[in-house]
Amino acid sequence: MTNRNSRRGRWWLLLAGAATVALAACSPANGKNTLAPHGTNAHQIDNLIYPIWIVAVIVGLIVVGGTIFVALRYRQRPGRSDRPKQIHGNLTVEILWTIIPAVILAVIAVPTISLIFKEDATPSNAVEVTVVGKQWWWEFEYPGANGQPPVVTADELHIPTGRNIDLSLKACDPSLPYGVNNGPGCNVIHSFWVPELAGKEDVVPGQTNHLTLRTSTAGTYLGQCAQYCGLSHANMHFRVIAQSPTAYDAWLSSQRQVPAVSLASAGEAGTLFTKTFACSNCHTTSSSTLSTYGPNLSHLASRSTFASGYFKLTKSQLMKWIMNAPGLIPMQSQDCRKGPPGSPGVTCVGMPSFTQNTPKGMPVMTTAQAQILATYLLSLK
Amino acid sequence: MTTVADAPTQTPVRPPVILRRPKETTGVWSWFTTVDHKKIGIMYGVTALVFFCLGGIEALLIRLQLAGPNGTVLTASQYNQIFTMHGTTMVFLLGMPLSIAFANYFVPLMIGARDVAFPRLNAFGYWMFVTGGVFLYSSFLLGGAPNGGWFGYTPLTSTPLGLGALPGRGPDFWAVGIVMLGIGSTTAAINVIVTTLNMRAPGMTLMRMPVFVWMMLVTAFLTLFAMPIITVALIMVFFDRNFGTSFFLPAKGGDPLLYQNLFWLFGHPEVYILILPGMGIVSEILPVFSRKPLFGYPVVVFSGIAIGFLGWGVWAHHMFTTGLGPVAVSAFSLSTMLIAIPTGVKIFNWLATVYKGSVRLTTAMLFALGFIAQFTIGGLSGVSLAVVPADTQQHDSYFVVSHFHYVLFGGLVFGLFGGLYYWFPKVFGRMLDEKLGKWNFWLMVIGFNLTFFPMMLLGIYGMPRRVYRYDAGLGWGSLNLVATIGSFIIAVSVLLFIINAVVSRKRGVIAGNDPWDGRTIEWSTSSPPPEYNFAEIPEIQARDDLWHTKYTEDDDGVLVPLPSGGVDTPAATRAAAAPTHRIHMPSPSFYPLVAALGILPLAYAAVFHSYSWAFLLVAGGAIILAFGIYAWAIEPATAAEADH
Amino acid sequence: MSDITLRDDSGATEVAGQTATALEPSAGLLPGELRPHPSPLRYVLIAVVLCVITAAEVSLYYLEGSLADAVIIPLLLVFAALKFGIVASWYMHLRTDKPIFARFFVLGIAGAILLFGIVLSSLQIFS
Amino acid sequence: MATIEQAPPPQVPAGPSHGPGPDHPPTSTGTTNVKLAIWLFLASDCLFFGAFISAYLLYRGRAQTGPTPAKVYSIPFTSVSSFVLLMSSLTMVLALAAIQRGDLRRLRIWLLSTALLGSVFVGGQIFEFTEFSRKGLGLSTNLFSSTFFVLTGFHGAHVTIGIIWLLSLWALATQGRLTQKDAEKVEIAALYWHFVDVVWIVIFTLVYLIPTK
Ligand code: HEA
Ligand code: HEA
Ligand code: CUA
Ligand SMILES: [Cu+2]
């Protein structure tokens, strides 16, 4: 069918090409589009898959077109004999349509495998960052260089442009304080995916996977957990903020600073945080080197979003969250106020509500208290 | 026993049985005790379609929730249960049983047997399927339905309830329920294999068997070897959750990837378990409505077998992003691409079958043609997934969801609907309405593509799967809305089918033995076939044996009707005639049902073992089960009266 | 005519297929067997062989440490395979039965070894 | 179609020649349905045990706490119980040989001894399990113990089912309801029994004898 009419072949090629171009052209600029690559890895994947899609569209058109063609062309109708020739098979053509797909696949396989190995190579001269997936938020750890302690942050991954970033993906980092390997809430599989920068890589408890990011375009890229990880899998977002190396360095050193306001000097907020509502069971505001059960808040105010990047960091939003987090993002946190996570009898995944479902004898948070806490947190630049 | 002439009155020594031997072969109760492969086939089919509606309603809920950004139809917790149950239902309670329904009904008829090899085991398999399904669905009322996804990845599902990784007892129900269904499908598989190998009519050599029978044989072997693997995986999940082990709990050294390997070692053969029957049905329909033999029968058969073998070597393509390392990943990428070759052979042979034929576009034929076109689209998106770097973008996105609905719905379900239209006249003696059928088909094609093509784009545009909500501003809203509209069009088309089936069963045109001018011997007996299938076991002389009684080829290979062909040939008359002698069929039995019912309390006891009353369930279930098995073993296959 | 179908009178479903390979009744053979079973004496002798191998296996165990693992492990595996083969071919009569049974069994065993071998190596058990 | 007249199915004589009686109608492969089915089941069971065994192999070196395999295994004890199970295979074939000869007395003896040997094996296993837990190795102590107990436990469950099966046959035999023509019923049970034995041969080597780090 194909070689009899090469003009038709070219027509198909055109159509297939047009279809794929249309695909890219109509695609939304949504910060998550795999067809709008801004990272090396994502670029390479697009370059690989476009030609393959074109081949696929051609094969698809041949088969779908062929199906419609044979159905209509050989339709029983008045004037056409209903006594067709009985063809039982034809070895030659059968061998042909075994071999042609085999050849096509072989051609596809070569660049595929070469890119697999290319992606796997350890990047040279890379910035190392550890990414920790937890139920249902992301923690990012920048190892401390020359004796400096590490920097731990959450929800927003800062990277310098023009450099290779070597991400170590873990479900928990036992080398950091409180990075209890078996702590509840950090023991399931997640998947780290920033579509416009790179393909995804799973975070598998018990092993460390690697992913290389590289982009030359500064900007904010959206990411999301791609592996189903329980109740709030859908809400496990994050963003990647690519900055010029100087801006990145400045950011990193500001993160290394001791928090602007110490807990001791925070007055009532300190009491609320450590005693009344025991926020400090799960968070810290006094050291950006600690990995805690909940996100490290030492420099919360330097972020533009919070709660897995789900909300803009504004005071009113933060107050709502502090008072009743599970009302905004579903979590299994009914027990969380009964004791620090991991203590026996406490089934706690996420952050409790401080206004609802309050255990006996524990205070219910007032709006005023929430405001004090929010003000305090927002002072932590 | 409608067909048995008056039975002798004297009763020989009876074995000690407690339940009276059931005799009814008609009426409501006969359905509970029947061992007739055709009745069981109908029961499988109806039950599977009921589950299809349940799974479909779940799908509609999913679609309603996702119709626009930040949907509020379902809560997160409900959504997770719904999509898990949707996948589980469609795979285990629709796909497998509906294929088994066709196998049950038609494998014996197509190979010229009176029944399957193990009629009572057959009934038992059916009852396991029903109890397993009921058990799974009862979880909605008893502490939450399964919510770990249809492949229930550990450690999410295997983390003990008390640690709270996943709310509810769903995963317990899931693990136990799938094991129950596994018991049922394993018995069905053994039955299909033994029946096909052992019960063929004289002259029915393997290479004369209809392709559908071949594909069911391959499917049965896949089931036989795949089921034990997932059973072990689920046992370990269950132990982790309930007995303090840590097979898949990394905190104590367990390896979550072991689970993934075991699951997909089952799971990938499973997808071929689902598609091969569909391919078999299509291979039956196309020749009949093209008035041409299947193009390259041996090649189609062997490529089916090749798919069966190759299907075992590709499982890790579901794990490309788990960090297997480049060598393993490359190997599995290659083996996955390899499967496209035998599959492509089938596709092209089917097209060549229709090519230059004399095509009748009946509804069945339309569904078969729809299968070819849509399955190919799904298969090609599968090849895109096999390209590992691309898969790292597409994995766990709606691209995958689109891929597998194209192969599962566009392939399997279209094939099964084709089979329903094709064989309905044989089963019920009346034709399905063709006009409604065409509406059914076209609405389904339109709805199907409206639903699942946008999903391919959504995946490419970055939408992950298994999310109960997405933000506005991501540009996914309109495509999702289209998909939702499409899914309701599918629902309308399914509704049309149900109406068609219900109405036609009563008022449809009388079909006669051979309404389609069929090729294979199931069309030589009456519609519906008598309990004993053939008054006389046919002697098979060729592939497409019935066709040869009606037609021949002239020297140029052109079709020529035989003057005395058709239903008037001696063979056909004999096959469909009233029997001239007594044919004893296996008698109905209570015990398969009893045994299956015995397993049900045991299953509940497994889930609720920590409650003090659970031992009552264990005791009760064990007693019922033991009684069922012993009575079954002692009871003769054929009732005592019929023995002499 | 009806005498042709006299088999039907034996009841049961198993009536259906009658082909050239139908079972020939032949003394001492169960269906599916090509040759007669060994004598009880032979069975006992085989048991003796099995015992000897088992003894060898257990003594190998006690040599662990004085012999290299690289010697012991393959030997143990060979012994186990030997015992497995002997029981399967003599006691389970695969030697004298129709090959179809052996084919199924080998399919199961070989499949299991191959597939789980790949799984284990992908989980880096051998490195 | 006319050939059907020339191929009457073989008339099978019942009686002393204990060939396939009327219970064994002709089949396309020349083997009975049940025998085909049991072999299919056994083939399937290979993958069942294969999966458990691979889990064991993967995890045996990963004991994080609690006693190691080397600490708890008592090879002499297990060797004896392996030997017992091996010998039960002998008594099993002797039972089959007996029913094929029509020697119903020996059939009963050998069936019962097989069941007894099997029970000794299961008894030994129960003893071993309690011994292990006395030494501080319970089901959930560590990965080694979990895989060990689950693997050998499911094997033991297979043996137990076999024992019940054999005892049921024995009971039938004592009531005179198992006669020469039922040889195949014994053979089916025997195949299952040998399979369970053969699996133990593998377990004994892989689990007990091969040295662990
Ligand atoms: C009926 C079921 C079915 C079938 C038949 C297939 C068939 C195929 N599948 Fe699919 N698959 C699923 C059901 C099925 N799949 C399901 C349910 C999942 C997801 C599970 C989950 O995550 O929930 C999945 C997921 C899945 C993945 C993992 C995706 C991921 O999670 O990242 C991959 C990756 O390789 C894949 C590949 C393939 C391939 C290559 C085929 C091939 O067999 C297709 C071969 C067919 C063709 C290629 C078309 C016809 C051929 C020609 C016309 C010849 C010419 C062609 C060429 C030259 C290319 N499938
Ligand atoms: C054979 C398999 C099969 C079939 C046929 C379908 C059919 C459909 N599927 Fe499904 N699907 C899966 C197998 C299948 N699916 C699997 C395995 C998953 C993965 C699950 C997981 O991630 O774990 C999945 C997941 C899945 C998702 C992704 C969920 C997520 O990731 O969040 C979606 C989303 O739209 C979806 C939609 C649909 C739709 C709209 C249909 C429709 O085509 C359904 C059409 C049917 C109907 C609409 C029934 C209509 C009947 C009536 C209306 C009659 C009512 C009757 C009476 C009142 C008597 N499916
Ligand atoms: Cu984390 Cu999904
Ligand atoms: Cu697959």
Side-chain angles (χ1 to χ4, degrees):
Chain A
M1 246 189 288
T2 31
N3 54 4
R4 196 183 46 184
N5 194 336
S6 68
R7 232 179 331 129
R8 196 183 291 169
R10 221 170 300 145
W11 183 76
W12 267 329
L13 197 72
L14 218 68
L15 199 71
T20 19
V21 168
L23 200 71
C26 306
S27 59
N30 61 0
K32 287 190 175 180
N33 187 347
T34 65
L35 296 185
H38 292 286
T40 311
N41 180 305
H43 253 301
Q44 288 168 338
I45 292 174
D46 273 9
N47 291 342
L48 174 68
I49 199 65
Y50 268 124
I52 294 178
W53 277 345
I54 291 180
V55 173
V57 171
I58 293 172
V59 175
L61 285 175
I62 292 175
V63 173
V64 175
T67 311
I68 296 171
F69 171 76
V70 291
L72 295 182
R73 169 72 182 74
Y74 301 108
R75 207 174 163 172
Q76 223 175 52
R77 51 178 175 258
R80 225 179 84 78
S81 157
D82 67 346
R83 295 186 188 177
K85 195 168 159 199
Q86 303 291 292
I87 310 166
H88 294 271
N90 179 329
L91 205 59
T92 323
V93 300
E94 282 167 310
I95 290 175
L96 213 64
W97 61 53
T98 311
I99 289 179
I100 292 177
V103 170
I104 297 177
L105 288 168
V107 171
I108 293 176
V110 175
T112 301
I113 289 180
S114 105
L115 187 54
I116 292 174
F117 280 88
K118 201 151 138 198
E119 280 181 358
D120 191 67
T122 317
S124 56
N125 186 25
V127 177
E128 285 177 21
V129 185
T130 300
V131 174
V132 180
K134 302 189 176 184
Q135 269 177 324
W136 296 278
W137 58 284
W138 295 92
E139 185 174 79
F140 306 110
E141 297 164 8
Y142 297 77
N146 358 319
Q148 281 176 309
V151 166
V152 178
T153 176
D155 301 344
E156 293 177 359
L157 171 67
H158 288 251
I159 58 168
T161 52
R163 295 272 314 263
N164 289 327
I165 322 294
D166 178 12
L167 301 178
S168 299
L169 306 165
K170 299 180 179 178
C172 265
D173 189 347
S175 68
L176 290 168
Y178 204 90
V180 267
N181 200 17
N182 51 0
C186 57
N187 51 5
V188 306
I189 302 176
H190 307 274
S191 191
F192 181 91
W193 189 26
V194 199
E196 297 194 351
L197 293 184
K200 62 184 74 65
E201 183 76 25
D202 290 0
V203 175
V204 183
Q207 76 184 50
T208 304
N209 286 343
H210 285 271
L211 181 69
T212 307
L213 294 186
R214 186 189 176 99
T215 177
S216 46
T217 327
T220 300
Y221 303 97
L222 299 183
Q224 178 160 6
C225 174
Q227 180 61 264
Y228 178 62
C229 52
L231 190 61
S232 252
H233 157 68
N235 301 314
M236 192 169 162
H237 304 266
F238 62 100
R239 50 200 71 208
V240 176
I241 298 169
Q243 302 166 295
S244 70
T246 37
Y248 168 77
D249 286 341
W251 171 82
L252 190 59
S253 60
S254 80
Q255 294 290 309
R256 283 194 208 287
Q257 306 303 314
V258 183
V261 184
S262 79
L263 255 184
S265 64
E268 195 187 345
T271 324
L272 292 176
F273 193 85
T274 51
K275 302 237 165 59
T276 321
F277 299 110
C279 312
S280 52
N281 273 351
C282 302
H283 302 278
T284 179
T285 49
S286 48
S287 165
S288 57
T289 66
L290 294 177
S291 166
T292 42
Y293 178 75
N296 187 317
L297 303 176
S298 303
H299 292 286
L300 176 69
S302 71
R303 303 175 203 156
S304 58
T305 58
F306 75 106
S308 303
Y310 207 83
F311 302 109
K312 276 229 158 55
L313 186 59
T314 63
K315 189 166 187 177
S316 62
Q317 195 57 258
L318 192 59
M319 278 169 62
K320 270 193 218 156
W321 177 264
I322 295 172
M323 292 172 78
N324 187 14
L328 301 179
I329 285 182
M331 292 181 272
Q332 289 140 255
S333 52
Q334 302 89 315
D335 278 7
C336 289
R337 291 190 73 185
K338 290 186 187 154
S343 41
V346 177
T347 308
C348 169
V349 184
M351 170 155 163
S353 167
F354 290 91
T355 55
Q356 278 162 29
N357 183 38
T358 309
K360 252 209 195 96
M362 289 201 170
V364 175
M365 192 184 284
T366 62
T367 315
Q369 288 171 321
Q371 183 152 19
I372 294 170
L373 276 169
T375 312
Y376 162 64
L377 291 173
L378 286 175
S379 70
L380 300 171
K381 281 284 179 199
Chain B
M1 301 282 288
T2 45
T3 64
V4 178
D6 42 341
T9 38
Q10 115 276 22
T11 322
V13 206
R14 279 163 167 279
V17 276
I18 298 171
L19 295 180
R20 154 194 83 80
R21 186 86 197 219
K23 286 206 198 67
E24 297 80 358
T25 53
T26 53
V28 176
W29 282 103
S30 72
W31 294 94
F32 290 93
T33 58
T34 185
V35 295
D36 178 2
H37 73 98
K38 296 181 289 300
K39 280 196 158 176
I40 295 176
I42 295 173
M43 283 152 67
Y44 260 116
V46 171
T47 317
L49 286 173
V50 168
F51 281 120
F52 178 55
C53 288
L54 287 175
I57 290 168
E58 284 154 2
L60 296 180
L61 286 172
I62 294 176
R63 287 315 324 159
L64 281 177
Q65 167 78 3
L66 297 179
N70 295 315
T72 50
V73 178
L74 301 169
T75 65
S77 164
Q78 287 166 341
Y79 184 86
N80 295 343
Q81 297 174 39
I82 292 288
F83 82 69
T84 302
M85 282 304 282
H86 164 69
T88 306
T89 303
M90 290 301 196
V91 169
F92 293 101
L93 301 175
L94 160 75
M96 296 177 81
L98 195 51
S99 306
I100 296 176
F102 284 114
N104 240 296
Y105 204 102
F106 289 104
V107 165
L109 277 170
M110 291 174 114
I111 61 173
R114 295 217 188 282
D115 204 325
V116 291
F118 304 103
R120 285 178 297 174
L121 194 65
N122 197 17
F124 174 72
Y126 170 74
W127 291 114
M128 281 314 294
F129 156 51
V130 175
T131 46
V134 168
F135 176 77
L136 272 175
Y137 268 85
S138 70
S139 63
F140 274 111
L141 307 173
L142 300 169
N147 52 0
W150 88 275
F151 42 75
Y153 270 2
T154 60
L156 186 63
T157 50
S158 64
T159 304
L161 189 60
L163 291 184
L166 205 59
R169 288 185 185 278
D172 294 319
F173 274 97
W174 185 73
V176 176
I178 304 284
V179 169
M180 291 171 77
L181 296 172
I183 296 173
S185 37
T186 305
T187 57
I190 290 182
N191 225 334
V192 167
I193 298 174
V194 177
T195 306
T196 327
L197 292 183
N198 249 0
M199 318 256 310
R200 282 166 283 135
M204 179 61 84
T205 59
L206 289 177
M207 288 313 277
R208 284 180 186 167
M209 288 195 319
V211 178
F212 174 69
V213 179
W214 259 113
M215 292 306 108
M216 280 316 303
L217 183 63
V218 177
T219 302
F221 269 106
L222 292 180
T223 312
L224 186 73
F225 291 127
M227 275 309 172
I229 306 177
I230 192 184
T231 306
V232 169
L234 294 174
I235 288 173
M236 295 202 275
V237 166
F238 189 81
F239 271 62
D240 274 5
R241 284 182 67 84
N242 295 288
F243 301 132
T245 59
S246 48
F247 294 114
F248 305 126
L249 298 181
K252 290 195 192 156
D255 195 336
L257 292 192
L258 174 64
Y259 177 84
Q260 295 194 8
N261 271 290
L262 292 179
F263 184 88
W264 292 117
L265 203 43
F266 149 83
H268 191 85
E270 170 72 21
V271 306
Y272 293 110
I273 290 171
L274 293 172
I275 200 64
L276 286 172
M279 293 180 159
I281 292 173
V282 168
S283 306
E284 297 302 321
I285 293 177
L286 292 175
V288 167
F289 297 106
S290 308
R291 288 171 79 80
K292 270 181 68 200
L294 186 66
F295 188 91
Y297 169 94
V299 176
V300 174
V301 168
F302 283 125
S303 59
I305 298 173
I307 292 174
F309 273 101
L310 290 175
W312 287 97
V314 304
W315 73 88
H317 66 209
H318 299 272
M319 304 164 60
F320 281 155
T321 61
T322 58
L324 288 177
V327 179
V329 153
S330 304
F332 279 101
S333 167
L334 287 180
S335 62
T336 302
M337 290 181 185
L338 223 55
I339 295 206
I341 297 170
T343 317
V345 169
K346 287 195 159 208
I347 300 273
F348 295 127
N349 276 33
W350 286 331
L351 288 182
T353 304
V354 187
Y355 180 68
K356 290 201 167 166
S358 172
V359 177
R360 275 179 292 163
L361 290 179
T362 59
T363 310
M365 182 67 168
L366 287 173
F367 273 108
L369 292 166
F371 178 109
I372 300 179
Q374 294 174 153
F375 174 79
T376 300
I377 299 175
L380 292 168
S381 65
V383 172
S384 165
L385 291 166
V387 175
V388 180
D391 181 70
T392 62
Q393 288 284 29
Q394 295 153 358
H395 174 67
D396 273 339
S397 76
Y398 264 81
F399 192 91
V400 175
V401 177
S402 170
H403 158 67
F404 65 70
H405 282 95
Y406 262 93
V407 282
L408 282 170
F409 196 106
L412 168 77
V413 173
F414 270 69
L416 294 173
F417 268 80
L420 289 171
Y421 276 91
Y422 179 57
W423 277 316
F424 189 93
K426 179 53 57 186
V427 175
F428 295 109
R430 288 172 187 271
M431 310 291 285
L432 278 172
D433 186 71
E434 280 288 307
K435 201 157 171 198
L436 264 179
K438 301 253 161 75
W439 275 98
N440 180 181
F441 171 77
W442 286 111
L443 282 177
M444 202 179 260
V445 168
I446 293 167
F448 166 78
N449 286 290
L450 275 184
T451 309
F452 297 110
F453 194 79
M455 290 191 192
M456 202 178 294
L457 301 179
L458 281 169
I460 293 171
Y461 300 155
M463 179 165 171
R465 64 193 281 202
R466 297 171 163 184
V467 292
Y468 74 95
R469 66 173 174 188
Y470 53 90
D471 277 352
L474 289 166
W476 299 335
S478 41
L479 286 171
N480 268 302
L481 184 62
V482 173
T484 301
I485 294 170
S487 68
F488 279 86
I489 299 179
I490 301 178
V492 172
S493 82
V494 174
L495 223 51
L496 284 186
F497 172 79
I498 296 173
I499 294 169
N500 196 350
V502 169
V503 172
S504 301
R505 168 136 167 52
K506 288 258 148 58
R507 302 215 193 99
V509 178
I510 301 284
N513 292 0
D514 185 14
W516 306 121
D517 195 7
R519 311 176 67 89
T520 39
I521 59 172
E522 79 269 26
W523 300 109
S524 67
T525 184
S526 54
S527 309
E531 198 190 350
Y532 44 85
N533 291 354
F534 301 94
E536 211 163 274
I537 297 298
E539 171 120 343
I540 306 302
Q541 279 156 348
R543 196 180 293 154
D544 290 340
D545 195 65
L546 179 65
W547 185 88
H548 284 275
T549 67
K550 300 186 287 194
Y551 299 103
T552 186
E553 296 170 22
D554 68 14
D555 293 341
D556 298 330
V558 172
L559 180 92
V560 178
L562 287 174
S564 62
V567 284
D568 299 330
T569 59
T573 330
R574 247 191 292 155
T580 53
H581 53 277
R582 282 169 41 203
I583 301 172
H584 290 165
M585 296 304 295
S587 313
S589 172
F590 285 114
Y591 301 120
L593 175 59
V594 171
L597 285 180
I599 292 179
L600 197 55
L602 293 179
Y604 282 111
V607 173
F608 295 105
H609 63 92
S610 53
Y611 291 82
S612 53
W613 42 262
F615 81 95
L616 280 178
L617 290 177
V618 176
I623 291 170
I624 299 173
L625 180 63
F627 166 66
I629 291 177
Y630 271 105
W632 175 350
I634 290 171
E635 173 191 70
T638 308
E641 297 90 320
D643 265 357
H644 288 280
Chain C
M1 200 49 162
S2 72
D3 62 322
I4 300 163
T5 42
L6 59 108
R7 302 272 328 77
D8 289 345
D9 282 347
S10 71
T13 46
E14 289 92 320
V15 166
Q18 302 150 3
T19 69
T21 43
L23 298 171
E24 292 301 328
S26 108
L29 289 188
L30 288 172
E33 289 174 357
L34 298 175
R35 279 170 285 155
H37 287 171
S39 66
L41 181 66
R42 184 67 70 78
Y43 282 142
V44 175
L45 284 177
I46 292 162
V48 171
V49 174
L50 288 171
C51 290
V52 171
I53 303 178
T54 309
E57 283 180 327
V58 176
S59 9
L60 261 183
Y61 173 83
Y62 284 102
L63 288 177
E64 271 165 30
S66 42
L67 262 177
D69 279 359
V71 179
I72 291 193
I73 293 177
L75 269 179
L76 281 174
L77 291 178
V78 168
F79 282 149
L82 212 62
K83 278 163 76 180
F84 191 108
I86 291 175
V87 174
S89 53
W90 292 87
Y91 286 177
M92 296 170 96
H93 309 299
L94 285 179
R95 259 180 78 254
T96 51
D97 273 4
K98 294 213 164 196
I100 186 171
F101 304 124
R103 283 187 201 135
F104 287 161
F105 201 40
V106 167
L107 204 63
I109 296 167
I113 293 175
L114 190 76
L115 295 176
F116 294 124
I118 298 175
V119 169
L120 289 179
S121 57
S122 91
L123 294 172
Q124 267 117 40
I125 190 186
F126 301 120
S127 52
Chain D
M1 292 289 131
T3 44
I4 196 163
E5 268 87 5
Q6 292 147 22
Q11 214 354 352
V12 180
S17 102
H18 36 266
D23 291 354
H24 302 302
T27 57
S28 314
T29 57
T31 69
T32 58
N33 293 341
V34 217
K35 195 160 165 188
L36 218 47
I38 187 81
W39 274 109
L40 288 167
F41 170 74
L42 297 184
S44 162
D45 229 19
C46 288
L47 282 108
F48 182 84
F49 281 111
F52 272 132
I53 291 174
S54 15
Y56 177 83
L57 292 178
L58 181 65
Y59 287 150
R60 61 184 271 147
R62 287 205 203 166
Q64 291 189 328
T65 50
T68 56
K71 285 247 173 61
V72 287
Y73 286 156
S74 160
I75 297 300
F77 180 84
T78 313
S79 302
V80 171
S81 62
S82 305
F83 173 76
V84 167
L85 194 61
L86 201 59
M87 287 308 103
S88 77
S89 260
L90 174 63
T91 54
M92 189 70 244
V93 275
L94 292 178
L96 178 61
I99 193 172
Q100 281 186 291
R101 286 196 311 273
D103 184 346
L104 299 180
R105 199 177 66 86
R106 287 215 169 72
L107 166 71
R108 290 195 296 272
I109 294 175
W110 291 128
L111 278 178
L112 200 59
S113 18
T114 312
L116 269 177
L117 288 172
S119 317
V120 170
F121 174 84
V122 173
Q125 199 168 37
I126 293 171
F127 174 76
E128 190 186 35
F129 281 15
T130 46
E131 196 65 2
F132 279 18
S133 69
R134 220 175 38 78
K135 289 179 183 159
L137 198 69
L139 171 66
S140 58
T141 307
N142 55 35
L143 278 172
F144 152 67
S145 71
S146 303
T147 40
F148 171 84
F149 280 117
V150 174
L151 169 59
T152 55
F154 272 95
H155 178 268
H158 273 70
V159 179
T160 309
I161 291 170
I163 294 171
I164 296 172
W165 192 345
L166 290 173
L167 288 178
S168 311
L169 286 177
W170 174 78
L172 284 180
T174 51
Q175 293 168 26
R177 288 163 68 191
L178 199 66
T179 56
Q180 201 171 13
K181 69 172 174 31
D182 300 316
E184 193 179 45
K185 292 198 174 126
V186 176
E187 151 140 75
I188 300 302
L191 286 173
Y192 175 82
W193 189 261
H194 295 308
F195 175 74
V196 171
D197 181 24
V198 148
V199 169
W200 186 257
I201 291 176
V202 176
I203 294 180
F204 182 52
T205 302
L206 290 183
V207 172
Y208 289 89
L209 294 182
I210 287 192
T212 337
K213 287 135 261 167

